[in-house]
Amino acid sequence: MSQQGTYPAPARRRLVLWRHGRTAWNVEKRAQGQADIPLDPVGRRQARSAAPVLAAFEPAFVWSSDLQRARHTAQELAALTGLEVRLDARLREYDVGIRQGTTFAEFRASHPDVYERFFTQEDYRVPGAELPSEVDARMAAVLGDAAAALEEGRTGVLVGHGAALRSGVLAFLGAPPELRDMFAGMANCAWTVLQEHPHRGWQVADYNARTLPGESSALADEMPAPHVSKNADPAG
């Protein structure tokens, strides 16, 4: 028993979900999807600045999407911790099909019927894209595997993409997808902490934490008015 007369809190397992740094397409508000877009100079600086904060978690492992914007973000943390980055394609962003490389205005102009269905039909498949439910399934699987790989009191860091990470949080926690609108999109190089409670299971302990609030581009899920989507985020 401690001097205050209380038992010390048990060590808890944690998953830290870290979004990649900024890219040129983030600035231009283009849907990146699984296009392999590199970090821009600001994004590289964001990753270098945030990495020491993530290193303070003393992670047991670092897993990353194999897309270079995530991989290069993860490598900044690996350089500080001595850990080898494990690449996992399940951590990739949504495959957005014909939306890839377009802004919402361009998408609407070129595919008005698809645009309308995207914003009004639940779990709608844009031509060539993944279903939101398919993304939920792969993200829940990789987060579940990461949690299973953690020993008591240890932390794992998973580096990925804004839209897929937000969907992954809900899917991993078993929350209905329609609750997605209750969570703001993650900013570039921001992170979310999931922590295991001894009685209540996994919980959101921190969300969209960041060290560089003045340098992040638009949030990952910023949507054009007046529509409200039941489907995917811009996928950056």
Side-chain angles (χ1 to χ4, degrees), residues 23-86:
T23 72
W25 278 19
N26 287 147
V27 177
E28 297 170 4
K29 299 183 180 180
R30 298 188 180 278
Q32 295 181 112
Q34 296 187 6
D36 203 12
I37 306 303
L39 298 174
D40 69 9
V42 170
R44 292 193 293 272
R45 185 168 71 248
Q46 288 173 329
R48 287 193 300 270
S49 297
V53 183
L54 276 294
F57 284 103
E58 299 181 352
F61 57 74
V62 180
W63 295 5
S64 175
S65 158
D66 59 343
L67 298 177
Q68 64 174 313
R69 59 189 184 274
R71 188 174 74 247
H72 292 166
T73 299
Q75 287 169 352
E76 294 291 341
L77 177 58
L80 296 179
T81 60
L83 296 169
E84 183 176 348
V85 177
R86 169 175 161 177

Side-chain angles (χ1 to χ4, degrees), residues 36-222:
D36 203 12
I37 306 303
L39 298 174
D40 69 9
V42 170
R44 292 193 293 272
R45 185 168 71 248
Q46 288 173 329
R48 287 193 300 270
S49 297
V53 183
L54 276 294
F57 284 103
E58 299 181 352
F61 57 74
V62 180
W63 295 5
S64 175
S65 158
D66 59 343
L67 298 177
Q68 64 174 313
R69 59 189 184 274
R71 188 174 74 247
H72 292 166
T73 299
Q75 287 169 352
E76 294 291 341
L77 177 58
L80 296 179
T81 60
L83 296 169
E84 183 176 348
V85 177
R86 169 175 161 177
L87 302 180
D88 194 318
R90 293 177 297 176
L91 287 167
R92 284 186 173 195
E93 185 56 286
Y94 279 74
D95 185 335
V96 296
I98 62 172
R99 289 182 55 222
Q100 185 169 293
T102 68
T103 65
F104 274 117
E106 292 167 347
F107 176 44
R108 184 176 190 177
S110 59
H111 302 284
D113 293 341
V114 175
Y115 180 93
E116 183 65 25
R117 293 188 183 100
F118 173 75
F119 279 102
T120 58
Q121 295 183 19
E122 188 171 353
D123 208 33
Y124 171 68
R125 187 189 297 278
V126 169
E130 289 178 284
L131 286 173
S133 58
E134 292 170 343
V135 178
D136 291 347
R138 66 172 166 85
M139 290 298 295
V142 69
L143 267 64
D145 288 349
L150 283 175
E151 297 179 356
E152 181 179 340
R154 299 307 305 273
T155 296
V157 176
L158 279 66
V159 187
H161 308 265
L165 287 176
R166 190 178 74 150
S167 295
V169 168
L170 294 170
F172 176 67
L173 297 176
E178 52 266 27
L179 295 183
R180 189 162 37 210
D181 289 341
M182 295 176 63
F183 288 83
M186 291 177 64
N188 288 121
C189 251
W191 59 89
T192 288
V193 180
L194 304 179
Q195 184 168 280
E196 189 179 36
H197 188 278
H199 307 299
R200 301 186 182 96
W202 287 90
Q203 299 176 315
V204 179
D206 202 356
Y207 185 80
N208 207 22
R210 65 192 106 168
T211 58
L212 302 169
E215 292 187 337
S216 290
S217 58
L219 298 182
D221 69 336
E222 188 169 338

